[in-house]
Amino acid sequence: MLSEELVYAVALNKVFRYNPKISNFLLKEFGTAKAVFNLTQADLAERFNRRYSFFDDLSDKRLFEWAEKEISWAYSKGIRLLCIHQAEYPSSLKECFDPPVIIYQYGDVNLNQDKIISIVGTRMSTRYGTESCRKIVKELAEGGFSPVIVSGLAYGVDIAAHRAALEFGLKTIAVLPNGLDRIYPASHYEIAKKISRQGAIITEFPRETESLKINFIQRNRIIAALSKATIVIESREKGGALITAEFAQSYSREVFALPGRISDIFSAGCNNLIYHNIASIYCSTKEFTSYLGWTSDNKDGSNLQKEIFYSPSPEKEKILVALSLNSELSIDELLHISGERLQTLSKSLLELELEGKILSLAGNRYSLA
């Protein structure tokens, strides 16, 4: 038998899926979804001082029949329905001023664990962006921090983040801008199946909800709210990733951005976030995890000791930082970035190569080992 309050909550979620602030206000004011539906038109008019279209929705008895069918469908597909009053509902969302009443979850992952981060960026990611994304996830996994990686299943940086999490054994959460009866984009259906087995796919939208433009903004706030910190990998001057960063800032979450060359249009958004003090510079995994106060799950700490006890000279440090922000660089590019003389740079490069820190590639080019 279906819980009466769950039926009311699912119905309320449909009515206010584009006005979560109002549903949150009503729930805080009256305690339960059932109590909200028991309000008369006069009660609502008194509360809001004018008439709104949702007054009629709350009076529509067909809504409960729809909600019962929606719950039965979800249960038949193995989808969990997390109501805002339940302990399993993510507390990070409850802290925000606009949480959805219901979260649909397909997959087994704890949405209340501490180490959850989001990685977002442009759909038109460059090699620098996708490789940097993979490197960040790889280092977080191998460093023993085991965060859950949240993103939006979109092309570019989002899917790179999900793939890296799957590759390195981390749980990952894909937040959809539509109902769980479809995957958007459809080309990511197979990877979505893998995500559901090594994490979860979630949404606030009922089935048959299409991927409207406004839904992506709604989706981005969930990505930001779920996470302890948001990392923006690449973005144009305007883009969805910047909206996610703004949501994260409004929820008092940490925001980091990967810097790029001032000439790169796909780094313009990240550089602006840093310039306007909305985001901190993502310099290294060590600094990122230290900033968040995370400790490693590695018992022997071997992966961390290499980083902790390695103290390069200023000349070598410039090289390592430059290569950490680029997949590979030529010796001429390193000369320009480091400001060193060729003789000094060549000596540092040779030493770093012998120490196993960098690789020498064809054409006088170098990359991190």
Side-chain angles (χ1 to χ4, degrees):
M1 184 175 177
L2 298 178
S3 160
E4 184 182 46
E5 179 61 19
L6 181 60
V7 173
Y8 280 108
V10 169
L12 192 68
N13 186 68
K14 184 180 184 183
V15 173
F16 292 108
R17 63 188 182 276
Y18 295 117
N19 293 288
K21 291 180 186 176
I22 298 178
S23 60
N24 195 42
F25 164 76
L26 290 170
L27 283 173
K28 286 182 176 178
E29 191 82 359
F30 298 101
T32 66
K34 181 179 179 180
V36 173
F37 278 102
N38 285 337
L39 295 171
T40 65
Q41 296 269 352
D43 293 330
L44 290 166
E46 183 181 347
R47 288 285 169 185
F48 292 98
N49 297 318
R50 54 168 287 194
R51 200 176 188 288
Y52 288 90
S53 59
F54 66 78
F55 289 11
D56 294 328
D57 294 329
L58 292 174
S59 302
D60 189 349
K61 301 304 179 185
R62 294 173 300 176
L63 195 57
F64 304 114
E65 183 181 344
W66 171 87
E68 289 177 348
K69 290 179 180 178
E70 179 79 357
I71 296 169
S72 296
W73 167 79
Y75 286 174
S76 73
K77 300 296 183 181
I79 296 168
R80 299 177 66 196
L81 298 173
L82 305 180
C83 181
I84 195 167
H85 292 312
Q86 294 176 324
E88 296 84 0
Y89 186 95
S91 58
S92 56
L93 288 184
K94 289 182 186 179
E95 296 170 359
C96 301
F97 49 83
D98 55 355
V101 179
I102 293 288
I103 290 289
Y104 295 73
Q105 177 180 339
Y106 185 64
D108 185 21
V109 65
N110 178 9
L111 300 181
N112 279 303
Q113 55 191 294
D114 186 52
K115 293 179 182 176
I116 300 181
I117 64 169
S118 59
I119 299 179
V120 296
T122 178
R123 287 171 170 77
M124 304 289 289
S125 58
T126 66
R127 181 180 173 187
Y128 166 63
T130 53
E131 289 186 356
S132 296
C133 178
R134 183 177 179 275
K135 181 176 184 291
I136 287 169
V137 175
K138 179 176 185 282
E139 289 178 353
L140 287 169
E142 293 182 348
F145 297 101
S146 304
V148 177
I149 307 297
V150 180
S151 201
L153 200 67
Y155 292 109
V157 171
D158 287 21
I159 201 65
H162 291 305
R163 284 182 173 136
L166 294 171
E167 179 184 354
F168 297 110
L170 298 180
K171 289 187 179 293
T172 183
I173 298 170
V175 187
L176 298 187
N178 49 263
L180 287 183
D181 55 335
R182 65 192 71 187
I183 293 297
Y184 182 88
S187 59
H188 291 163
Y189 178 78
E190 290 301 323
I191 196 167
K193 283 175 29 178
K194 293 178 182 178
I195 290 170
S196 70
R197 294 192 292 266
Q198 194 173 310
I201 304 171
I202 70 171
T203 187
E204 66 184 303
F205 296 107
R207 61 177 165 156
E208 298 182 359
T209 302
E210 297 183 5
S211 310
L212 304 175
K213 187 174 182 179
I214 188 175
N215 294 5
F216 289 91
I217 298 174
Q218 294 275 108
R219 183 272 306 272
N220 290 352
R221 93 185 194 289
I222 299 292
I223 292 174
L226 274 177
S227 309
K228 191 85 170 179
T230 292
I231 304 173
V232 184
I233 297 293
E234 283 185 311
S235 175
R236 290 176 179 266
E237 280 192 274
K238 295 181 179 179
L242 302 186
I243 295 173
T244 306
E246 289 169 5
F247 275 125
Q249 186 188 44
S250 74
Y251 298 145
S252 300
R253 306 294 194 259
E254 302 298 339
V255 182
F256 291 81
L258 189 73
R261 294 187 180 119
I262 59 173
S263 58
D264 291 347
I265 59 172
F266 293 112
S267 289
C270 290
N271 292 340
N272 283 340
L273 287 174
I274 295 166
Y275 176 76
H276 292 291
N277 294 318
I278 296 172
S280 301
I281 297 176
Y282 193 98
C283 295
S284 69
T285 304
K286 179 182 175 183
E287 289 190 15
F288 174 73
T289 53
S290 175
Y291 191 92
L292 295 180
W294 288 0
T295 55
S296 172
D297 296 330
N298 285 347
K299 292 182 179 179
D300 61 2
S302 56
N303 287 332
L304 296 178
Q305 286 174 3
K306 293 177 182 178
E307 187 174 26
I308 292 169
F309 294 110
Y310 181 73
S311 181
S313 65
E315 294 81 8
K316 293 180 185 177
E317 188 171 16
K318 288 179 185 177
I319 296 169
L320 293 173
V321 169
L323 290 175
S324 71
L325 298 176
N326 299 274
S327 57
E328 58 182 65
L329 291 171
S330 69
I331 194 165
D332 288 337
E333 289 170 321
L334 286 167
L335 276 169
H336 177 71
I337 292 169
S338 68
E340 302 292 340
R341 294 188 305 166
L342 178 60
Q343 184 177 1
T344 304
L345 179 66
S346 299
K347 180 175 180 291
S348 296
L349 287 170
L350 178 60
E351 290 176 0
L352 286 170
E353 190 177 350
L354 293 173
E355 291 164 2
K357 299 296 179 184
I358 66 171
L359 297 175
S360 176
L361 308 175
N364 278 331
R365 301 185 70 81
Y366 294 86
S367 71
L368 290 179

